[in-house]
Amino acid sequence: MQYFSTNKKAPSVSFKEAVINGLAPDNGLYFPEKITPIDSKYIKQINSFGNEELAWTAIHQFVGEDIPLDVLKKIVIETVNFPFPLVEIKKNVYSLELFHGPTWAFKDVGARFMARCLGYFSEGNQQKNTVLVATSGDTGGAVADGFLGVEGVDVVILYPSGKVSDIQERQLTTLGRNITAIEVNGTFDDCQTMVKKAFLDAELKDSLRLTSANSINVARWLPQMFYYFFAYKQLKEKSSPFVFSVPSGNFGNICAGVLAQKIGLPVSHFVAATNVNDTVPRYLKTDTYAPNPTVATISNAMDVSNPSNFVRLIELIEGADMKNTLDAFSFTDKETLQVMADVKKQLRYLLDPHGAVAYLGLKKYLSKHSNYIGILLETAHPCKFSDTVEQAIGEPLLLSQAAQELLKHDKKSILMSNNFEDLKAFLLKR
Ligand SMILES: *Cc1c(COP(=O)(O)O)cnc(C)c1O
């Protein structure tokens, strides 16, 4: 499979090169040249297939010849080896729980898949690949866990000191082995700027094989299709129209949903639910794409005002009216906290702040489409955002055994200023 750059000013590349490059040299995102629908008979028999089989069917055309089939099968099996339950929280409303992976957020699937692909592509290389990534919380933990112990790959993660939750910090800093956590005295933007400078630095380029594990990487983006297949498989009633509500920041997850629809999953509609960083909801109203400065919210993994995957959405829609495929709604922190409290009280279901935004989006859509079945994507375990959840429900949250265990591990991080030269010196010395 070949991938073109959405900016159309860089050559097309194979899956392997797209994974290694991350971003195309013209700063575009890679997008598959051809999308082939799955046989509709296969979709009709979806209940007879296991998750590994479904995942493999969804992804193998996008990998093509670059990974032998038996290796790809093994990668897929290792990527989806935990549950993805679809929980009915009230009549015709379901929560697809994507937080049962090792770091309790949906980014585990993309990170695990990418880590194993890159591990395969690094086999036999003289020099190790260094994966460099900046995180505001969830990405770092998923990438750290996904790449832990992968031969031929070292991982360096930058995170802003004091600005990630306790659980998130432990997930980054307690693994050791090939994972190094750098605690930057600065903001997430500082971390991201340092990483971007590293990729542009000629000296680093000459002496290290640097790779990004950013969410725009095709190997992180594509496996997110799996969620939508797993949800559909678990739906008891498959004849009614159904809608997915996706809590959206960079819009990678929802784009993967639209791709799943393109290859044949009979999804009726999507809702992109955002916090007050509402560039896409405003775009659908006004036809103007005009990002505002980013605003900090309680659903902080979605604090994105210029979603990088928006260009992929444009490619997927191919000139049609975007409104035929999705609606987009934005919600305030106040509404989010309120609905977390209401859902806990009325339905005895605990939402994290991101899932709560998705719930709000679903509720709004279903109020006008009462014949639809609604599925919200619950993208993180509530304990990852325990402060906010406790504030919303007005009572302490009981941490799971695994979370209590994690908090016992000692943090190991390297303190660093927000000066790029310090990062450069550190990387060259390794
Ligand atoms: C990253 C993240 C999102 C946003 O996903 P996108 O693919 O960037 O739209 C939503 N919820 C959680 C918990 C996340 O970590």
Side-chain angles (χ1 to χ4, degrees):
M1 169 66 72
Q2 292 290 107
Y3 288 78
F4 67 85
S5 163
T6 53
N7 280 351
K8 318 249 159 72
K9 292 195 178 71
S12 288
V13 298
S14 67
F15 175 75
K16 175 177 175 177
E17 284 172 279
V19 173
I20 291 171
N21 293 353
L23 201 65
D26 61 356
N27 279 334
L29 269 62
Y30 286 116
F31 193 88
E33 283 194 339
K34 202 158 159 261
I35 297 172
T36 312
I38 300 171
D39 190 345
S40 61
K41 283 199 215 98
Y42 182 91
I43 305 281
K44 286 213 174 74
Q45 294 166 3
I46 194 162
N47 281 52
S48 55
F49 302 114
N51 280 357
E52 294 93 347
E53 154 69 32
L54 286 176
W56 189 79
T57 300
I59 201 131
H60 79 266
Q61 64 168 300
F62 297 105
V63 177
E65 320 270 82
D66 285 7
I67 301 181
L69 287 188
D70 56 326
V71 178
L72 182 61
K73 283 211 162 123
K74 187 162 169 276
I75 291 177
V76 166
I77 288 170
E78 289 175 6
T79 300
V80 299
N81 67 351
F82 48 85
F84 298 82
L86 185 72
V87 178
E88 186 165 21
I89 59 176
K90 70 178 199 193
K91 191 165 167 21
N92 289 343
V93 175
Y94 294 83
S95 168
L96 180 67
E97 295 185 348
L98 300 177
F99 55 73
H100 295 278
T103 72
W104 314 325
F106 82 104
K107 290 191 172 69
D108 278 327
V109 165
R112 288 161 81 77
F113 186 78
M114 180 184 167
R116 283 159 181 79
C117 291
L118 194 63
Y120 174 75
F121 295 142
S122 307
E123 272 174 23
N125 283 351
Q126 296 294 326
Q127 200 188 1
K128 283 193 172 181
N129 279 306
T130 299
V131 168
L132 189 63
V133 65
T135 185
S136 59
D138 277 348
T139 299
V143 167
D145 185 89
F147 281 85
L148 181 68
V150 173
E151 293 279 335
V153 183
D154 275 336
V155 177
V156 177
I157 300 169
L158 278 70
Y159 74 97
S161 181
K163 296 194 175 65
V164 302
S165 80
D166 198 8
I167 291 210
Q168 286 174 331
E169 183 167 38
R170 302 294 169 120
Q171 287 179 336
L172 294 173
T173 57
T174 59
L175 294 171
R177 292 166 70 186
N178 59 330
I179 313 294
T180 305
I182 297 186
E183 182 173 354
V184 173
N185 189 0
T187 61
F188 169 62
D189 283 328
D190 292 336
C191 297
Q192 205 156 26
T193 305
M194 291 163 82
V195 167
K196 279 189 185 151
K197 281 188 180 163
F199 284 108
L200 295 172
D201 190 278
E203 208 180 333
L204 285 176
K205 209 175 193 164
D206 285 345
S207 53
L208 293 172
R209 280 171 180 266
L210 275 188
T211 310
S212 144
N214 194 284
S215 67
I216 50 97
N217 196 298
V218 291
R220 283 194 54 194
W221 173 51
L222 294 167
Q224 302 179 89
M225 277 187 297
F226 303 163
Y227 313 141
Y228 302 86
F229 282 88
F230 298 169
Y232 181 61
K233 179 185 152 178
Q234 292 175 77
L235 263 188
K236 275 179 260 128
E237 221 266 81
K238 290 189 171 58
S239 50
S240 300
F242 65 99
V243 56
F244 281 108
S245 178
V246 187
S248 296
N250 258 323
F251 280 65
N253 193 356
I254 195 166
C255 272
V258 177
L259 185 60
Q261 184 188 41
K262 268 211 125 131
I263 64 171
L265 199 72
V267 186
S268 318
H269 204 65
F270 292 92
V271 171
T274 73
N275 57 32
V276 292
N277 294 289
D278 63 347
T279 307
V280 177
R282 274 189 294 114
Y283 169 82
L284 286 181
K285 258 195 218 131
T286 63
D287 268 338
T288 317
Y289 187 82
N292 291 329
T294 309
V295 178
T297 74
I298 55 170
S299 48
N300 59 22
M302 312 197 301
D303 292 351
V304 180
S305 60
N306 190 4
S308 45
N309 283 290
F310 188 71
V311 288
R312 284 192 173 130
L313 201 51
I314 303 277
E315 290 293 342
L316 284 162
I317 306 255
E318 283 183 310
D321 190 350
M322 201 178 278
K323 293 186 198 92
N324 295 338
T325 305
L326 61 110
D327 277 277
F329 306 124
S330 92
F331 301 96
T332 64
D333 280 357
K334 196 168 164 229
E335 292 169 297
T336 309
L337 287 167
Q338 186 62 49
V339 87
M340 287 163 78
D342 292 349
V343 169
K344 168 79 173 35
K345 205 162 147 215
Q346 292 156 13
L347 309 178
R348 290 163 197 247
Y349 191 76
L350 203 54
L351 290 163
D352 97 292
H354 306 80
V357 171
Y359 183 89
L360 285 164
L362 193 57
K363 198 169 147 209
K364 187 157 175 173
Y365 188 79
L366 293 179
S367 71
K368 298 227 171 77
H369 301 84
S370 55
N371 58 327
Y372 274 59
I373 291 177
I375 303 171
L376 70 102
L377 270 52
E378 178 43 295
T379 45
H381 193 289
C383 85
K384 284 194 100 168
F385 302 92
S386 55
D387 292 351
T388 307
V389 174
E390 287 174 355
Q391 182 196 342
I393 63 174
E395 58 185 81
L397 196 62
L398 287 179
L399 286 187
S400 67
Q401 194 79 35
Q404 292 176 30
E405 208 43 52
L406 178 67
L407 292 175
K408 286 187 198 144
H409 286 82
D410 286 331
K411 142 182 169 185
K412 281 200 194 71
S413 65
I414 292 171
L415 291 167
M416 195 175 279
S417 77
N418 60 359
N419 184 338
F420 168 67
E421 293 304 323
D422 287 350
L423 175 66
K424 181 171 172 178
F426 171 82
L427 291 171
L428 288 174
K429 202 167 69 217
R430 280 155 61 84

